[in-house]
Amino acid sequence: MNITKNIHEWLFSLMPETTASIVEMLLIAVVYLGIFAVAGLYLVLLERRVAAWFQLRLGPNRVGYQGLLQTMADALKLVSKELTGTIKADKFLYNLAPYFVIVTALMAMSLFPFTKEFQAFDINIGIFFLIAISSIGVIGILLAGWSSNNKFALIGAMRSGVQTISYELSVGLSLLTMVLMTGSLQLSQIVEVQEKGGWLIVQGHIPAIIAFCIYMIAGTAETNRAPFDLVEAESELGAGFHTEYSGMKFAYFFLAEFINMFIIASIATTVFFGAYLSPFGITENIPLLGVFWFLIKTLAIIFLMMWFRWTFPRLRIDQLLVLEWKYLLPLNLMNLIIMALMVLLGLTIQF
């Protein structure tokens, strides 16, 4: 049963076309805002649990059953806190910066095909759109660091600019390697190719595995997470670019970090692991089954990113840039050429 189609027809039968379209868009926005909030709160709790597991601690276990309401309590605390700042800040840019980070993350989430019907924005340049949106998000970080008029925030913002510009190349090239296999930038078509021939990470042999490994390293750096957390290096810069933020504005930055991690994992799930497709070849039209498989794969990749954080020490800025420009970028370019030759010669495999 196509739920979205039924809702669409019901709305258009009740009200004029223009009004129905507006109501439809508002409903979609509310659904995605709900997903955004729930995913952010759950991932914060998951991060704490994973950190506790790696460090042989208990983690949150007081508020609610097994600490399940701890992040909800923290969110309420942040909402109720006073929005303090510095009198030397550029007020307009200081207040604008958090919305850049949140809005770009929300726009990126709208592209993911949770099921065949559950996709808000299926654009024919989907991969390109995601890369472009991620580039805009760093503007919010740069604005936050500069407008705060704080030297630690400014250093964090400058590091973010350097890091994002560098690692965007590897993210883009690793995704382009897989786009060569499918011949399309549209996410729904990339999933269709995998529905017919199997996951791309299997179809693409070793070059696909190399592309996935590079994507995970570069994607972790894009989200400013350890071991690439120079942007928010607590031992050096306080809170980094959001040192001068408090209350809900700080929560926006904090939430955006976890949502960006979800976005990076969701892209990997869609491009490499078949998005909502079952690993067992089950194709029955059960609405929630696709969402289940999408979330299971995404959470597995998120766990891998959390594993990175609690295993590896932080890199120095010179090590960070050497890793990208001396190793990842040349490897990515060679891998792209090998994949192009494989596609040209018809060497990809299908099941």
Side-chain angles (χ1 to χ4, degrees):
M1 182 176 67
N2 194 330
I3 299 171
T4 53
K5 185 180 178 182
N6 292 337
I7 294 173
H8 174 82
E9 291 174 352
W10 177 66
L11 286 173
F12 275 75
S13 67
L14 287 178
M15 55 192 75
E17 186 176 340
T18 306
T19 309
S21 297
I22 293 171
V23 171
E24 201 171 31
M25 287 187 283
L26 287 173
L27 284 173
I28 292 169
V30 168
V31 168
Y32 272 85
L33 282 170
I35 294 170
F36 192 95
V38 171
L41 289 174
Y42 175 74
L43 289 175
V44 173
L45 179 64
L46 182 64
E47 175 86 82
R48 289 175 169 181
R49 281 293 188 184
V50 170
W53 182 54
F54 274 101
Q55 297 172 351
L56 303 179
R57 296 186 288 107
L58 292 177
N61 62 352
R62 290 287 186 271
V63 184
Y65 176 73
Q66 294 294 312
L68 289 175
L69 298 179
Q70 181 63 59
T71 50
M72 187 68 71
D74 292 340
L76 292 173
K77 178 190 72 173
L78 286 170
V79 169
S80 63
K81 277 186 176 293
E82 182 183 359
L83 295 174
T84 60
T86 170
I87 58 173
K88 294 181 179 180
D90 183 317
K91 296 296 182 186
F92 175 72
L93 296 179
Y94 175 83
N95 293 320
L96 179 66
Y99 297 99
F100 261 98
V101 179
I102 284 289
V103 170
T104 53
L106 191 56
M107 289 174 68
M109 278 188 67
S110 66
L111 266 73
F112 298 125
F114 293 99
T115 65
K116 193 167 284 188
E117 289 89 22
F118 189 4
Q119 185 178 11
F121 191 39
D122 186 18
I123 190 172
N124 62 351
I125 53 168
I127 296 293
F128 178 76
F129 182 84
L130 286 170
I131 295 170
I133 283 295
S134 66
S135 303
I136 294 172
V138 74
I139 294 174
I141 295 175
L142 291 170
L143 286 179
W146 184 83
S147 64
S148 295
N149 203 8
N150 177 300
K151 60 184 178 182
F152 298 115
L154 180 59
I155 292 170
M158 290 170 65
R159 286 180 176 184
S160 175
V162 170
Q163 184 170 315
T164 304
I165 290 168
S166 299
Y167 280 86
E168 268 178 1
L169 293 169
S170 285
V171 168
L173 286 172
S174 58
L175 293 176
L176 184 59
T177 303
M178 308 313 295
V179 167
L180 281 175
M181 288 185 62
T182 60
S184 175
L185 292 166
Q186 191 167 352
L187 293 179
S188 60
Q189 291 187 7
I190 290 172
V191 177
E192 283 177 16
V193 170
Q194 297 175 84
E195 192 171 10
K196 296 172 184 175
W199 294 353
L200 289 186
I201 198 166
V202 178
Q203 289 189 49
H205 296 288
I206 294 174
I209 296 171
I210 293 172
F212 173 70
C213 293
I214 293 173
Y215 174 81
M216 286 305 302
I217 295 169
T220 305
E222 282 277 281
T223 55
N224 299 325
R225 290 178 57 82
F228 307 102
D229 62 336
L230 287 163
V231 178
E232 309 172 25
E234 292 90 351
S235 56
E236 303 169 26
L237 304 176
F241 63 91
H242 51 67
T243 298
E244 296 292 350
Y245 284 88
S246 66
M248 200 60 201
K249 291 176 183 174
F250 168 78
Y252 284 162
F253 285 113
F254 189 69
L255 185 63
E257 178 185 326
F258 286 91
I259 294 299
N260 286 331
M261 182 168 58
F262 180 82
I263 289 167
I264 291 293
S266 296
I267 295 171
T269 297
T270 305
V271 174
F272 294 96
F273 296 102
Y276 53 82
L277 300 176
S278 166
F280 308 112
I282 301 171
T283 57
E284 282 85 2
N285 190 20
I286 303 172
L288 293 179
L289 188 62
V291 177
F292 170 78
W293 285 119
F294 188 95
L295 292 178
I296 286 292
K297 296 172 191 175
T298 302
L299 287 173
I301 295 169
I302 287 172
F303 175 76
L304 182 62
M305 295 173 74
M306 291 179 177
W307 194 341
F308 292 164
R309 176 173 182 175
W310 300 106
T311 303
F312 298 112
R314 182 184 302 139
L315 299 179
R316 295 196 314 263
I317 188 67
D318 60 319
Q319 295 171 329
L320 181 88
L321 297 176
V322 164
L323 175 64
E324 165 61 16
W325 293 101
K326 194 174 179 180
Y327 297 103
L328 292 185
L329 187 60
L331 181 59
N332 227 331
L333 290 169
M334 287 190 292
N335 196 49
L336 183 65
I337 294 168
I338 293 169
M339 180 63 80
L341 290 172
M342 283 178 57
V343 172
L344 181 65
L345 299 173
L347 296 178
T348 57
I349 58 174
Q350 295 184 355
F351 292 95

